Amino acid sequence: MQLKFMKYRKLSYWIAGAFIVLSVLSLLVRGLNYGIDFAGGISMEVKPVSAEYTIDKMRADLEQFSPELQSVGDDGAILVRVGLPRGATDAQQNARVTEIKDILGNNVEYSQVQIVGPKIGNELIRGGILAVLFSFILMSVYVWVRYRGGYAIGSFISLCLDFVIMFGFFSVTGLEFNQTAIAVILMGVGYSINDKVVNYDRIEENIKKYHKMPMDDLIDLSVNEMMRRTIMTGVSTILAMVALYLFGGPALRDFAIAMTFAVVMGTFTSIYISNVILYHFNLRDGDQK
């Protein structure tokens, strides 16, 4: 049985519009939950001197600072990350380090202590923005060179949509926005672009084979022919993210959640947004690649 995706093309526009509005409003009102990488903070690698001083006890002792704790290595070391107030001075940063050390006392040994100040955080934000912009430009150039006419417009619009929705996702959910989040956005959008290219290639092949088939039926046929590949790729990626979420520890859970959303989003924009836009072009009369 062939699924009729184009039957719901108008609904897909409403869904995409709702995602855009929600993303933009959330970014304007809530903004992003910057992590220590961008907002600045303290990073300590410590090792408990006794097995009785567990990571849970350490988290309880530092509860007032809302710390991020993660076991690292095989020797029982723990990575402690604590945020700093925005615009904290050097004196305030050093005072916070002293306060944390006083609380932990002789229960731990210190391997390293690092302070990410606001200046370094701003530099990392600029670097992250440049990375996103540079990747967006490169993907846009690739799309424009790879395709022409309706294909280029469809993939470019869905590319913009992918970026906006991914940033909106981090804003709406409140997941920590750090350097890992930048990597997730770029990987997610790259996954989406790859899915669109595969779908467009199949549509182009079918246009040459079925000269008189209505465009909505032709797009439905192409998507259905690629559905097995789309499902297998998406499910295998999501299963890997489930494994990361369950066994990768707290540091990888946000990554797994965001990447799972990116796969679902990329599949939606590939099947609907980029393909639905093609419906409005006469691809048989000069709008092909």
Side-chain angles (χ1 to χ4, degrees):
M1 184 182 72
Q2 181 170 298
L3 299 175
K4 298 292 185 180
F5 293 100
M6 292 301 102
K7 178 181 178 181
Y8 304 101
R9 59 182 180 273
K10 293 182 179 179
L11 177 62
S12 70
Y13 281 139
W14 283 103
I15 294 175
F19 272 122
I20 293 174
V21 171
L22 180 61
S23 297
V24 172
L25 286 177
S26 183
L27 287 167
L28 291 175
V29 176
R30 292 171 51 113
L32 295 167
N33 177 27
Y34 289 113
I36 292 175
D37 293 345
F38 293 152
I42 299 167
S43 177
M44 296 180 173
E45 186 174 320
V46 302
K47 183 178 179 182
V49 297
S50 170
E52 296 179 357
Y53 195 63
T54 63
I55 190 171
D56 291 330
K57 289 184 178 179
M58 188 182 300
R59 181 177 288 108
D61 289 343
L62 299 174
E63 183 179 3
Q64 59 180 306
F65 302 118
S66 300
E68 299 175 14
L69 275 67
Q70 176 188 358
S71 298
V72 293
D74 299 324
D75 59 351
I78 298 174
L79 181 64
V80 181
R81 292 161 61 109
V82 175
L84 288 169
R86 186 171 294 274
T89 63
D90 291 343
Q92 290 173 320
Q93 295 170 12
N94 293 328
R96 179 61 58 85
V97 172
T98 302
E99 192 175 357
I100 293 172
K101 286 186 174 182
D102 288 341
I103 292 174
L104 297 179
N106 297 324
N107 292 312
V108 300
E109 296 175 347
Y110 297 90
S111 301
Q112 63 177 6
V113 178
Q114 295 179 329
I115 298 177
V116 179
K119 182 177 180 181
I120 297 176
N122 289 334
E123 291 176 356
L124 292 175
I125 291 176
R126 277 197 299 271
I129 292 174
L130 288 175
V132 171
L133 288 176
F134 188 63
S135 64
F136 176 79
I137 292 171
L138 288 181
M139 289 184 189
S140 300
V141 171
Y142 168 77
V143 163
W144 210 256
V145 171
R146 178 73 172 79
Y147 296 108
R148 294 289 185 273
Y151 294 104
I153 294 173
S155 52
F156 180 76
I157 291 176
S158 58
L159 174 64
C160 296
L161 188 66
D162 289 339
F163 273 105
V164 172
I165 292 178
M166 281 304 300
F167 276 99
F169 173 78
F170 277 95
S171 177
V172 171
T173 60
L175 292 180
E176 185 175 294
F177 191 80
N178 48 29
Q179 290 177 307
T180 302
I182 295 292
V184 171
I185 290 174
L186 298 183
M187 290 173 61
V189 174
Y191 176 94
S192 180
I193 282 292
N194 177 70
D195 208 28
K196 292 170 178 57
V197 169
V198 172
N199 273 280
Y200 276 3
D201 285 348
R202 180 53 59 92
I203 291 173
E204 283 190 308
E205 292 174 6
N206 285 336
I207 282 178
K208 297 173 183 177
K209 290 169 60 177
Y210 305 104
H211 301 286
K212 296 183 179 181
M213 182 180 292
M215 185 53 61
D216 54 348
D217 291 338
L218 189 143
I219 294 175
D220 283 339
L221 172 65
S222 302
V223 174
N224 277 274
E225 288 178 346
M226 298 303 302
M227 186 52 59
R228 182 178 179 182
R229 177 256 176 207
T230 299
I231 292 175
M232 293 295 290
T233 303
V235 169
S236 61
T237 305
I238 290 175
L239 288 177
M241 294 305 106
V242 171
L244 278 181
Y245 181 85
L246 294 176
F247 307 110
L252 292 177
R253 283 176 184 164
D254 286 0
F255 174 88
I257 293 171
M259 194 63 202
T260 299
F261 176 80
V263 171
V264 175
M265 175 208 65
T267 303
F268 168 76
T269 57
S270 296
I271 291 178
Y272 279 105
I273 304 305
S274 59
N275 286 343
V276 168
I277 291 173
L278 289 184
Y279 177 79
H280 300 287
F281 289 86
N282 187 355
L283 300 177
R284 293 189 173 94
D285 294 332
D287 259 341
Q288 297 184 48
K289 189 170 59 164

